[in-house]
Amino acid sequence: MDPKVRSKINRIAAEANAIARELEDISNGLSHEFKGIGSVKAASGLRRSAEKYRYVSYKLRRI
């Protein structure tokens, strides 16, 4: 694979990981700072989104 393409893929994968970390941080903040069903559902949705970003990053690194 062309090194420039590999580099771009690696940057995109790293950005996907960074987004996943941010989503996890926000999810944890919601879980700790707010109470109620709404905050639980929101935190859960953010965690699911973070998992999807991690999966995308994983798949990109395996190309």
Side-chain angles (χ1 to χ4, degrees), residues 17-48:
N17 267 337
I19 292 169
R21 282 191 304 274
E22 281 292 318
L23 290 172
E24 282 289 335
D25 288 345
I26 295 167
S27 172
N28 290 336
L30 280 173
S31 296
H32 289 92
E33 294 184 30
F34 298 96
K35 301 296 177 204
I37 294 171
S39 64
V40 172
K41 284 188 167 228
S44 176
L46 288 170
R47 272 191 239 95
R48 280 193 306 276

